[in-house]
Structure formats: C-alpha cells, structure tokens
Amino acid sequence: MTTPDKGPPPDLDALHRHAYALRRTMLQMAAGKGEGYIAQGLGFADCLAALYFGELRHDPARPDDPDRDRFLLSTGHYSIAMYAALAEAGYLDRDELPTYALNGSRLPMSTFDDLPGIEVVGGSLGQGLGQAVGMALGLRLDGSPARVFCEFSDGELDEGSTWEALMSGATFDCDNLVALVDCNGIQADGPVTVRIEPVADKLAAFGWDTVEVNGNDLGELTAALAGARAPDGRPKAIVMRTTPGYGVPTVMARERAHFVRIADGEWDGLLRELDEHYGVVAHV
Amino acid sequence: MSSTAPVAGRTRGMGELIDVPDKTTVLAPFGTTLAELGRERPEIVGLTADMGRYSDILPFRDAFPDRFFNVGMAEQNLISMSAGLAKVGKIAYCTTYSVFVTRRAYDFVAIACAHSKANVKIFAGMPGLVNGYGATHQATEDLNMMRGIADLTVIDPCDATELQQVVRAVADIPGTVYVRLPRGRVPVDLDPDSYRFEVGQAKQLRWGGTTGIISTGYMTARALDALSVVADRGIEAGVLHVPTIKPFDVASVLEFARGYERIVVAENHKTTGGLATLVIETLFDAGLLRPVERIGLADSFFECGSQEYLEAKYGVDLGRFVEVLTSSRT
C-alpha cells in the first residue's frame, strides 16, 4: 500500500492492554456457559483492539453519527469478541456482559443490529462484504469522510457472494473500504477444506490493495491499517493470519475446534494462562 | 413422449416491446416515474444486476448516472449492496428478474434487508407467466416465497396507473418492499384520475351480480376485460383488486366475500401459496367456510412460447375468465 496519511504513531502498549482486557472479558463471559466461539474471539481480539482504540473514528455516545466509521462483523458468531469490544469502548454496560447467550439477552450468540454499535446482522455468512460495499458507495455519494471496515473469515471465502462483493468493491473504486480477512484456518466442520489459498494473491488479482500480516501482531496490524488510509482509488484488504485461542495455550491446543467446549473447572486455569501470556503476576 | 407440431406464434425476445391492441399504454412507467422521483428525492439510488434495459430502469440511470450502480449478474450482491446503501441513509431501488431475486437471493432479502427493515425497494421483472423463456424465467411461486418473509411488503400492481403510484408510495413507507414489475408498453386499465393505490388496501372496482372476483396484478385487468366482454349478456360481477399481498387486507376481503355467493380468486401465480391461499386462510379463520374457485397456475414448471400461447394452454387467458363468468350460477 502507498502513501498512508500521517497520523500519530500507535500506542502499542495501550493496545496490548486493551487486547488483554478483551480476552479476559471474553473468558469471563464464556465461563459457566461451557462452550462458545471463544477460540475465534481470542484470535480476533488484537484486530478489535487496533480498530476500536486506534483506527476507527467513532464516538460511543453517538452510535448513530452519520459520519462515523463503520465496522461490520460478518461472522456474527464472533459475537463474544464484539460484545467485549463494545463494552471496552463504552457502547455497552459491563454489567450486561454476563447475559451473553442467555435467553432474552440483548447479547445473543450471534450478532443482531438492534444493539447500538452493531451495523449488520452477521450470522448468515457471505452477507457482510456486499453490504460494506453499499455503505462505502453511499458514504462516498454524501461526501462523508467515513470509512467502512468489514471483517470476514477465510471460511466465508467459500461463499460465492463474497467474491461477487470483492468484484464490486474494485469495480466501483471503493477506496474508503477496508476488508479485514480473518484467516484462522477453521470452519464449522474443522480445518478449512476448500482450496482457497493463496488468499492474498487472489484478493490482489481481484483488484484489492492487499497486504498480509500476522493478525496477532499489533505492530503489523497497526502498520497495515495506517497503510489502508491511502485514497488511491482502490479498496484495501488486510489478510490477517490469526491463531484461534491466541493468548490461552489450552484453547490454542484445541485450535481445530470451531465450537470449543470447556469444562466448568477449567475456566480459572484459562484466565491464569492468559495472565501468564501477558506477564500479569497476580490477578484477583 | 408424443411428437408435437409447432403451433403458430413464437417466443418473444426479453426486451421486445409488445403491442397491446385496443389499450392505451405507457412506455417504461417504472423508470420514468423513478427518474421524476429521483429529482425530488436526492436520497434515492438505483441498482440493477445486468437487467437495466429489461427492467426499464434506464431513464433513472440516464438522469442520475452517479446514483446508479449496475453490479453485473450477481443478485446476492445486488441485494447486499442495496441493503448497505439503505443503512447509510439511501432509498435503494433495485431491479432484476423475479426468478433471480426470489430463488437465488432469498436469504439476502430476508436477513440483509427485511430483518433490518432496510429501505430497499425491489422491483422484480417478469413475474408469473409473462415470459416465454420457460421455467428459468417464470416466477410462478414468487408471491408464496416473499410472503413468507417477515417485515417485507409485497405488491403486485395491476397496470401502468398503479405501478406509477406504487413507485412513489413505496418511497414513503419504511422498510423493504418487493414489487412485481410490468415493463415495456404497460397498459392503462385503471383511471389515473380516480384510482388511488394505498399500501395494504384492497380496492373494490366493480359491483353487482352474485360472483365476486378477488384478484391481484394484471389478472384484475383481465377480470375487468372479461366483464366488458360479457356485459351485453347482462352478466355482472364484483371485483376486489388486492395489490398488496403483504400486509394482507383481511377486513376488505372478508367484507367483500360476505357480499357474494360465489368467490373466484385470480392471480398470475400458482394457485397454491399465493392470493388464493391467503383468501382461503382469511375466510377459514373468520369461520366463513365457502368454496373458492381459482384462476391461476398449476404446481408445475411451464414451457417456452408466446404469452398468448402459454396463457391459453395453462388456463389463465381472457377466455378462461369469460368461461368462469358465463358459468356463473346467477
């Protein structure tokens, strides 16, 4: 990517603290539920930290601001990570987080857009990027400075609609659109089975200004996001290689599981593993 | 399979302008009205999936090229992009053929659009049996499919007069709307000076006799034409036009049905899952247990050919209406 706008250098220490907090929140939300999409959430936490505490122009007090940057979570089942980020950013009261996945909760297992901060209904895979293209075009028509960031997963590249949207993003020169492709190598039945690699080469061939990064390296992520600011007439793609369960070795060891099951007695141990990963000595 | 000799007539081209004898017509009423509306409402955008010419939206494109997007043959993306545009404040009018938006993009209409009450107005061309290209292009179950989606408004306009009013009316109601789109030279059957389309309202157009016809889409025009044919025999019938399939005007249908001995339902659609099913549900729920005769299509796929040939073969032409009216037990 070329000529990124100058901005203040990212405070990587602060982003690390936020990423740690997101992961800790997720483990606490999932504890006692016995299961959940915790592996994907842990793997995606660094990207959420880089967005909500760095790259996104947003104000939790004005979630309907027409000129806000949009973040679309296409994989609605990453909801546990999304709610953690919305709470950390101030959109959600932390007291509500324990209702995750409970009957009647505003925080269901998959994301719905009636919750402030959620831009689209995310559970039916392959629907996010096309909506992001439409948003980017509409914002450009209005002369808005807002940009659109859309997460989708490597498994979602199985869906033909994702490729339709990739072609449209390039056809309509959406340089206010950033695709964040979470390549974690897993989907519902286990490892990604369809031969989708090389993802970055394919996206580049589809006309996207593409970089590939370690999605669990905040230095690489923030540099890629800064590069994606270039108004060069091309949509931007950041192909993120992420490790499911990142930060918690026990979950990482189960990385081929789409839907991780954790026994009741294991959660405290997982929190201790996370603390050790971040070098936190004592956490009550 | 027995060999069959070709019969007179031919399948017409998709974009062919077909003359409508003995009727006043309006050319491309959808696109010309949308272009007018676009001047009044800058938030309107237009999209098509490679069906611009065949859906009459080109007058809007020519008036507002910056607000028009042809996404190519990609109906899922057409609906997703329309939803995205709506979610940043636009009113997205999008076009393709009924078959493609219903059969191929159903999940996207349901979730990206209707679930979010997105301001997406889908104008779906070639609804029902108005296309000679066979089952691939004949949306004979679209009303059934679309009425199954919550928070979706479904409209089947009768003629050019109604279509022009629908184009404007749907801009004023929030949420996602599916409209069956007549294109090309569209006949004028309803009087533009007196007819007023209202979303969700059925309109009684004829009174008299003991037969009550409940109809939607251009089948209402056909019912009116048939009544003209049999008028000199002293045959009259009531006609209730139901342009909005969802939300369904239960009260008007019940009131109308109570006033007639014999109920006939007519639709450019299969006789299962569409208007006839809605009428039967409505009458049954109200305890009004009456036979309902149906003019419409069987649960089948249909062949290629000219519209006249297909309508006669499958029992939805003017002759069928005349036959039903003249067999009336009046």
Side-chain angles (χ1 to χ4, degrees):
Chain A
M1 294 182 183
T2 52
T3 50
D5 291 353
K6 296 292 186 212
D11 182 346
L12 288 178
D13 286 343
L15 293 181
H16 275 292
R17 285 193 295 276
H18 285 300
Y20 164 64
L22 294 183
R23 290 188 164 97
R24 209 161 205 289
T25 300
M26 283 183 239
L27 290 175
Q28 289 166 333
M29 288 169 71
K33 307 291 195 307
E35 56 194 13
Y37 297 97
I38 189 76
Q40 294 90 330
L42 291 169
F44 190 57
D46 297 301
C47 182
L48 285 169
L51 288 171
Y52 278 89
F53 305 98
E55 195 64 20
L56 289 183
R57 294 169 50 263
H58 71 116
D59 178 359
R62 300 173 61 213
D64 293 328
D65 178 3
D67 284 334
R68 71 190 182 281
D69 285 347
R70 270 71 168 177
F71 172 67
L72 281 65
L73 182 79
S74 191
T75 54
H77 57 290
Y78 290 19
S79 62
I80 193 165
M82 194 67 203
Y83 303 143
L86 291 179
E88 181 82 2
Y91 289 87
L92 262 181
D93 193 327
R94 286 188 170 278
D95 292 345
E96 198 171 344
L97 292 177
T99 70
Y100 167 66
L102 298 182
N103 291 343
S105 171
R106 291 200 310 162
L107 312 180
M109 191 75 87
S110 193
T111 50
F112 289 86
D113 58 1
D114 47 2
L115 187 73
I118 303 287
E119 302 285 357
V120 294
V121 178
S124 179
L125 299 182
Q127 295 201 6
L129 187 63
Q131 295 187 73
V133 172
M135 288 182 180
L137 291 175
L139 292 166
R140 187 173 75 190
L141 277 176
D142 289 341
S144 170
R147 291 188 296 156
V148 182
F149 297 77
C150 181
E151 175 272 354
F152 55 95
S153 67
D154 46 1
E156 239 176 320
L157 292 169
D158 293 358
E159 294 282 2
S161 57
T162 302
W163 297 97
E164 293 179 2
L166 285 165
M167 286 190 283
S168 278
T171 297
F172 297 115
D173 307 319
C174 295
D175 61 7
N176 57 345
L177 173 59
V178 182
L180 302 161
V181 191
D182 182 24
C183 291
N184 62 13
I186 57 173
Q187 55 191 102
D189 271 346
V192 168
T193 53
V194 171
R195 198 170 296 163
I196 58 165
E197 299 292 349
V199 172
D201 288 350
K202 284 179 176 167
L203 268 52
F206 272 62
W208 288 61
D209 191 357
T210 305
V211 292
E212 184 163 346
V213 301
N214 176 348
N216 296 121
D217 183 317
L218 279 163
E220 289 189 24
L221 273 173
T222 51
L225 286 166
R229 295 172 197 153
D232 60 359
R234 299 168 70 196
K236 313 301 190 298
I238 301 174
V239 175
M240 305 179 299
R241 300 292 169 184
T242 61
T243 302
Y246 187 80
V248 184
T250 295
V251 182
M252 289 167 71
R254 299 179 196 178
E255 70 178 52
R256 293 305 170 203
H258 174 74
F259 195 79
V260 172
R261 293 184 188 280
I262 306 287
D264 282 349
E266 289 186 277
W267 291 98
D268 287 345
L270 300 187
L271 280 168
R272 277 194 298 277
E273 288 181 21
L274 180 69
D275 290 349
E276 285 165 17
H277 175 87
Y278 279 96
V280 178
V281 177
H283 214 291
V284 179
Chain B
M1 194 172 168
S2 61
S3 65
T4 53
V7 295
R10 64 171 175 86
T11 298
R12 295 190 179 97
M14 284 200 302
E16 200 169 327
L17 287 176
I18 300 168
D19 288 325
V20 184
D22 308 322
K23 287 199 177 185
T24 302
T25 59
V26 176
L27 184 62
F30 165 64
T32 52
T33 307
L34 187 61
E36 289 170 16
L37 191 62
R39 277 183 271 281
E40 301 162 23
R41 304 190 68 155
E43 72 273 31
I44 288 179
V45 295
L47 300 94
T48 191
D50 194 37
M51 285 289 155
R53 181 181 162 206
Y54 305 107
S55 66
D56 285 350
I57 201 174
L58 297 189
F60 181 86
R61 177 201 66 180
D62 295 342
F64 305 103
D66 294 342
R67 289 155 55 186
F68 180 79
F69 306 99
N70 186 341
V71 308
M73 284 178 274
E75 293 76 18
Q76 298 174 117
N77 198 43
L78 172 79
I79 298 302
S80 299
M81 281 179 55
S82 297
L85 281 154
K87 290 172 189 182
V88 294
K90 305 300 178 190
I91 305 175
Y93 281 71
C94 64
T95 70
T96 179
Y97 280 178
S98 300
V99 279
F100 304 136
V101 70
T102 56
R103 294 174 185 161
R104 188 164 299 202
Y106 193 74
D107 185 34
F108 296 73
V109 175
I111 300 302
C113 295
H115 195 291
S116 297
K117 299 181 174 62
N119 252 331
V120 175
K121 319 302 177 184
I122 301 163
F123 281 75
M126 300 293 180
L129 197 67
V130 297
N131 181 292
Y133 281 51
T136 52
H137 287 63
Q138 294 159 346
T140 52
E141 71 288 298
D142 62 324
L143 296 179
N144 186 14
M145 292 177 73
M146 299 320 256
R147 84 177 182 94
I149 295 177
D151 291 328
L152 184 71
T153 299
V154 180
I155 299 170
D156 189 4
C158 171
D159 73 336
T161 296
E162 186 158 58
L163 177 59
Q164 288 167 323
Q165 296 183 23
V166 166
V167 172
R168 289 179 167 276
V170 297
D172 292 326
I173 61 167
T176 309
V177 183
Y178 174 83
V179 182
R180 287 180 132 200
L181 173 64
R183 67 158 296 278
R185 291 195 182 108
V186 181
V188 176
D189 293 285
L190 303 172
D191 179 358
D193 292 330
S194 60
Y195 182 79
R196 288 293 169 267
F197 168 80
E198 295 172 88
V199 178
Q201 300 289 310
K203 301 280 177 175
Q204 188 161 354
L205 304 177
R206 294 288 185 275
W207 287 257
T210 56
T211 297
I213 299 173
I214 302 172
S215 55
T216 188
Y218 81 87
M219 285 297 177
T220 294
R222 189 140 299 167
L224 300 179
D225 290 344
L227 281 169
S228 299
V229 170
V230 300
D232 59 0
R233 286 175 249 182
I235 296 173
E236 295 181 322
V239 175
L240 183 71
H241 174 50
V242 189
T244 309
I245 296 297
K246 185 172 186 164
F248 196 60
D249 188 352
V250 168
S252 295
V253 168
L254 276 179
E255 184 186 348
F256 179 83
R258 286 194 173 104
Y260 289 89
E261 289 177 16
R262 178 193 188 203
I263 301 299
V264 177
V265 177
E267 60 195 310
N268 174 28
H269 187 268
K270 290 182 188 177
T271 56
T272 51
L275 180 64
T277 298
L278 278 161
V279 169
I280 291 165
E281 286 174 5
T282 300
L283 300 187
F284 191 93
D285 286 350
L288 198 61
L289 304 182
R290 303 267 292 280
V292 172
E293 294 171 59
R294 310 182 205 183
I295 299 175
L297 299 165
D299 184 17
S300 175
F301 290 113
F302 304 94
E303 67 182 273
C304 303
S306 69
Q307 191 172 349
E308 298 87 343
Y309 165 75
L310 295 173
E311 289 186 353
K313 176 163 184 165
Y314 296 116
V316 290
D317 62 349
L318 183 66
R320 167 80 171 130
F321 279 78
V322 169
E323 181 186 297
V324 167
L325 284 170
T326 52
S327 70
S328 163
R329 294 162 294 186
T330 50

